[in-house]
Amino acid sequence: GVTVAEIIGPRRDRHIVRARFAAMAIARDYLDLSLPQIGREFNRDHTSVINALRRVDALCSDTDLDDLEAIARQSGVISE
């Protein structure tokens, strides 16, 4: 799994980035927060949030995963 500190931290290891992107997408889908608000929570700029949301959409298309929860489970954001 990935810790909260890793998700909001500066590291860019692939497994951490995937978890961070999934967490941002979950925040966008389930919390009524603006992109700048999400960015502040993750210590990122709102444009980083936009990129994350685009990448999650692309990942869903590329791997035929239409369920964000599946991505979050793969990334270790949520456990089974």
Side-chain angles (χ1 to χ4, degrees):
V2 179
T3 67
V4 172
E6 289 174 320
I7 288 176
I8 63 173
R11 289 182 58 193
R12 296 191 304 182
D13 298 23
R14 177 179 239 155
H15 73 285
I16 295 172
V17 170
R18 283 184 66 150
R20 183 180 300 131
F21 286 178
M24 287 181 180
I26 290 168
R28 179 66 174 165
D29 288 346
Y30 294 102
L31 304 174
D32 193 26
L33 299 176
S34 68
L35 297 178
Q37 289 172 315
I38 294 170
R40 282 191 293 275
E41 293 299 322
F42 287 88
N43 296 322
R44 301 286 187 287
D45 186 76
H46 76 282
T47 58
S48 296
V49 178
I50 292 169
N51 178 57
L53 298 176
R54 287 181 181 155
R55 299 272 304 268
V56 167
D57 285 344
L59 181 63
C60 287
S61 302
D62 290 347
T63 61
D64 209 340
L65 294 173
D66 56 5
D67 186 3
L68 182 58
E69 186 175 329
I71 295 170
R73 287 187 195 288
Q74 282 183 341
S75 301
V77 173
I78 56 177
S79 59
E80 312 240 4

